[in-house]
Amino acid sequence: MTVEGRAWELVRPGAALVARDRTFGPPGGGMALLEVLGCGVCHTDLGFADGHVQPKHDLPLVLGHEIVGRVLEVGAGADEALVGRRVLAPAVSPCGECAACRRGRGTACPAGRMPGNDADGGFATHCTVPARDLAPLDPPGVRSDAPLGEAGLETWEIAPIADAGTTAYQALVRAGVREGDVAVFVGAGGVGGFGAQLAKTLGAKVVAIDVDAGRLESLSGSTELRIQARDRDPRDIRKEIRGYLKTNGLTDATVRVFETSGTPAGQSLAFTLLERGGSLSVVGFTPEKVPLRLSNVMALDADVFGNWGCDPSLYAGVLDRVLDGRVQVRPFIERRPLDEVNEVLDAVRRHEVSRRVVLVP
């Protein structure tokens, strides 16, 4: 199958994306050709667009890695039952064969394939992705445009789960969050907003910290404590959290901190909030350097680790929680036409966007 469409290409860092007509050819072995139904805009896309992060693929490159679409065709060796179904495409597809994959660390796979980084992504009408890890949203043999799950979501609303939702879940699983733990999210938008909700479904007591009061209010149903961090000293915030733990009989609980703001101030605060025997998951990204006293990790016998994407095997667990309504999506996203991608990226640069934008062709 060959289809005509359009793609918005990054041709030079710092320049506007360029819209170009494209012919999308049949998928190769193990691949799937998708009609893009929605693609979320992530800060990582902005890092590539502005030249702060070097994509692995040569320019020109189509950005976008939070992709939901419909399978139009699959290549040799791929599951034919996917054709016609709506699917969520993983933000990173591990190779499944390297040493990291064999150790069960697919998210550390050096050959992992990320749309919009290793190959063209979802800021387009169509894209080609590995078929093996696609997460179907429809039953086999069903072609549908019906609302999804008990939550009645439109297809485009699922797109941010490809990264923001699943990455948060991977971080929670890796940290070993369980009932009775305290999960602290530094940054309540995007990954942090989904992470707070997912942590609650795991039985954790959730603390959300952000500079945006509106973001915090949107998480009122998922959090026990919300802290407005603007112009606050990190030590005062740590004192407030410790007071909450003491007041609520949680001084023996394990405190799991998640840095999801992707800002130098957020990373510094998250490190300050490390508690004895606890952990810090670095989920957000900033190209800037942050000075830290690493001896704190030793003195507190704490764990600190990063989190890159999500193992595709965990996607079903997140989708189940989204489709049955335990994790809300709609209050945290907004829809924009794909041809407004440059305006959206500019708004993200100016910090004028408080919700996850999903671009719809």
Side-chain angles (χ1 to χ4, degrees):
M1 176 184 295
T2 298
V3 295
E4 301 300 322
R6 214 165 199 221
W8 276 253
E9 298 178 347
L10 173 65
V11 297
R12 179 171 56 84
L17 305 187
V18 177
R20 288 179 176 160
D21 293 333
R22 280 255 192 125
T23 298
F24 298 86
M31 305 296 285
L33 174 63
L34 303 186
E35 174 194 0
V36 177
L37 301 176
C39 186
V41 178
C42 175
H43 276 85
T44 303
D45 297 314
L46 195 63
F48 292 140
D50 290 347
H52 298 311
V53 183
Q54 179 69 37
K56 294 181 181 179
H57 190 281
D58 292 336
L59 301 184
L61 173 68
V62 181
L63 301 178
H65 58 272
E66 292 188 340
I67 304 166
V68 63
R70 189 186 305 280
V71 178
L72 299 181
E73 185 179 9
V74 296
D79 184 2
E80 292 282 350
L82 289 168
V83 176
R85 299 162 75 183
R86 292 173 292 179
V87 295
L88 185 67
V92 181
S93 293
C95 75
E97 299 174 357
C98 69
C101 287
R102 292 196 304 271
R103 290 195 302 266
R105 289 292 301 278
T107 50
C109 172
R113 188 184 191 278
M114 178 181 179
N117 181 10
D118 299 281
D120 284 339
F123 291 174
T125 56
H126 302 79
C127 69
T128 301
V129 296
R132 179 183 60 189
D133 295 324
L134 293 175
L137 303 173
D138 296 311
V142 174
R143 179 185 175 91
S144 174
D145 294 308
L148 293 160
E150 297 174 34
L153 296 173
E154 295 183 51
T155 308
W156 68 269
E157 294 179 291
I158 297 292
I161 304 305
D163 186 16
T166 48
T167 294
Y169 192 60
Q170 168 83 33
L172 290 163
V173 170
R174 188 169 179 195
V177 172
R178 58 187 179 182
E179 188 168 358
D181 286 352
V182 176
V184 180
F185 288 87
V186 180
V191 177
F194 288 119
Q197 296 185 76
L198 287 161
K200 183 180 180 180
T201 70
L202 295 173
K205 305 294 184 183
V206 183
V207 177
I209 305 170
D210 204 286
V211 296
D212 188 320
R215 286 178 179 171
L216 293 171
E217 181 58 30
S218 69
L219 291 173
S220 60
S222 304
T223 54
E224 280 68 41
L225 176 64
R226 296 173 298 283
I227 300 176
Q228 224 278 14
R230 191 179 299 278
D231 300 324
R232 293 280 304 274
D233 187 299
R235 292 170 295 183
D236 290 339
I237 294 176
R238 181 179 62 191
K239 183 177 179 180
E240 182 174 350
I241 293 174
R242 287 178 173 174
Y244 159 77
L245 297 177
K246 183 176 181 180
T247 300
N248 291 276
L250 296 169
T251 53
D252 291 334
T254 302
V255 177
R256 308 290 189 187
V257 182
F258 299 87
E259 201 301 296
T260 49
S261 75
T263 66
Q267 291 190 347
S268 180
L269 171 60
F271 193 78
T272 300
L273 298 180
L274 260 179
E275 293 286 357
R276 189 173 301 278
S279 65
L280 167 62
S281 302
V282 182
V283 188
F285 172 80
T286 173
E288 300 182 47
K289 295 181 179 179
V290 178
L292 302 171
R293 189 175 67 183
L294 288 178
S295 294
N296 287 16
V297 180
M298 176 274 296
L300 296 171
D301 194 34
D303 298 319
V304 178
F305 46 83
N307 193 91
W308 172 256
C310 178
D311 190 310
S313 67
L314 297 177
Y315 273 57
V318 183
L319 282 171
D320 286 347
R321 289 169 165 84
V322 170
L323 296 178
D324 70 12
R326 283 178 290 166
V327 171
Q328 297 292 307
V329 173
R330 192 165 286 158
F332 305 97
I333 61 175
E334 63 177 281
R335 173 177 175 157
R336 297 282 292 275
L338 177 57
D339 58 13
E340 294 182 8
V341 59
N342 285 308
E343 291 88 337
V344 169
L345 290 174
D346 283 341
V348 175
R349 287 186 184 97
R350 295 191 299 265
H351 305 286
E352 295 174 354
V353 176
S354 61
R355 295 190 290 179
R356 198 79 160 192
V357 174
V358 180
L359 299 171
V360 179

